[in-house]
Amino acid sequence: MRVNKLTIAALAVVAGLSLTACQNDDLAADQGDSSSSSSSTGGSAQDSAKDSAKDSAGKETEGGQGTSAGTGSGEDSEIGKCRTDELEVTAVDHSTEGDPEGMVAVEFTNGGGRDCAMSGYAGVDLKTNAGSLSAERTGEEAPSIVLKDGDSVAFAVSYPVNDSGGSGVRITGLVVTPPNETKSVTLDWPGAASLPVTDGSGTPVKVGPIGSAGQGG
């Protein structure tokens, strides 16, 4: 009878050990699954962070190269017109001896620190002792140009030479308004001192479009 009790006790111990081992194995398996799940979740977070960084830098192309966002070159931006305050305006005599018409070349030099656009005719008025005299346009085709910073363009002002022997109409100044501007610049008149007195039937003072005279003196 004692032998049977010992046998039963031994079997109970063995069963307890087996149950403990099974529980440990199940716990280890659960921890392994949890670690695997955590690792998988961490990978998704990293991928999400990479995707967010990729989106902020630019969409990924099929070849795997990213395009940078917000890096426009400005090549397509519109060029603004040339302003009077950005231009250096000078005038020189370009008359040829013996020619019945004198000529003054007026030059615009872009000093605004940027490229600018210019087209058409400048406004030209001669200040005289008899009042202001507006130059007439020659009617030549008026081009459109982009005047780069530091570059120059010139146009011609032609006028009748006073060969009458009289004092004529004395010229005291030259007023120039750049194309499509309202602000004027007043310069010294570099040409002949006077115009012939006329009843309106003589040769008028004329202005050519920009580019109608060579640059320089």
Side-chain angles (χ1 to χ4, degrees):
M1 189 71 177
R2 180 178 177 80
V3 172
N4 289 339
K5 289 181 178 180
L6 291 173
T7 301
I8 291 172
L11 290 173
V13 171
V14 171
L17 292 174
S18 298
L19 180 60
T20 301
C22 289
Q23 289 176 341
N24 290 338
D25 291 340
D26 291 342
L27 179 59
D30 289 342
Q31 290 176 342
D33 292 341
S34 176
S35 175
S36 175
S37 175
S38 175
S39 175
S40 176
T41 303
S44 298
Q46 290 174 355
D47 291 341
S48 177
K50 289 179 180 178
D51 290 342
S52 297
K54 179 174 62 184
D55 289 342
S56 66
K59 294 183 178 179
E60 185 175 4
T61 64
E62 292 181 358
Q65 297 293 328
T67 56
S68 180
T71 56
S73 64
E75 294 178 352
D76 296 331
S77 59
E78 184 177 353
I79 296 177
K81 71 176 182 179
C82 297
R83 300 286 186 179
T84 303
D85 290 338
E86 299 175 319
L87 299 171
E88 179 186 355
V89 187
T90 56
V92 295
D93 185 16
H94 268 201
S95 300
T96 301
E97 187 176 355
D99 197 318
E101 286 190 348
M103 189 181 81
V104 166
V106 179
E107 185 175 84
F108 294 128
T109 300
N110 181 6
R114 66 178 181 94
D115 296 350
C116 62
M118 183 181 290
S119 63
Y121 286 78
V124 171
D125 295 282
L126 300 187
K127 296 171 67 175
T128 76
N129 61 340
S132 181
L133 176 64
S134 295
E136 299 179 8
R137 295 181 178 183
T138 61
E140 299 172 70
E141 183 178 356
S144 298
I145 66 167
V146 172
L147 191 61
K148 294 186 176 298
D149 184 37
D151 284 356
S152 301
V153 65
F155 64 90
V157 178
S158 61
Y159 60 95
V161 174
N162 180 20
D163 55 4
S164 64
S167 60
V169 178
R170 186 166 55 86
I171 304 173
T172 59
L174 172 65
V175 181
V176 178
T177 308
N180 303 309
E181 274 287 84
T182 58
K183 186 175 182 179
S184 302
V185 175
T186 301
L187 307 172
D188 292 335
W189 172 250
S194 64
L195 300 173
V197 176
T198 177
D199 57 5
S201 60
T203 303
V205 177
K206 292 184 179 181
V207 55
I210 58 171
S212 60
Q215 285 89 339

